[in-house]
Amino acid sequence: MLVPDPKAVRKLLTRYAVLRIAQAERQRPETAAELNDVSYTLCVMTGTTDIREAIAKADALLAAARDATADDRALA
């Protein structure tokens, strides 16, 4: 199974959060459309169909990437 690049996942999660805040402050069709696009991309990237699931999997992926980096540093 392909694993998405943690940097790309982090960037999408950040964009998702920014758009959610912007949409909560002032609902705009452009923001809603971009939020839908980012949500869809996160779902595709994580192999899910629900944004809540996608966020949970993305968080797990980032945690695993941090652990792997820490392990690599410990071995060096």
Side-chain angles (χ1 to χ4, degrees), residues 3-6 9-10 56-72:
V3 177
D5 177 25
V9 171
R10 188 177 303 110
K57 280 197 168 187
D59 286 342
L61 173 81
L62 293 177
R66 277 191 304 271
D67 291 346
T69 301
D71 289 345
D72 289 346

Side-chain angles (χ1 to χ4, degrees), residues 12-13 20 27 38 45 63-64:
L12 276 174
L13 282 174
R20 285 289 306 253
Q27 293 191 7
V38 169
M45 197 175 266

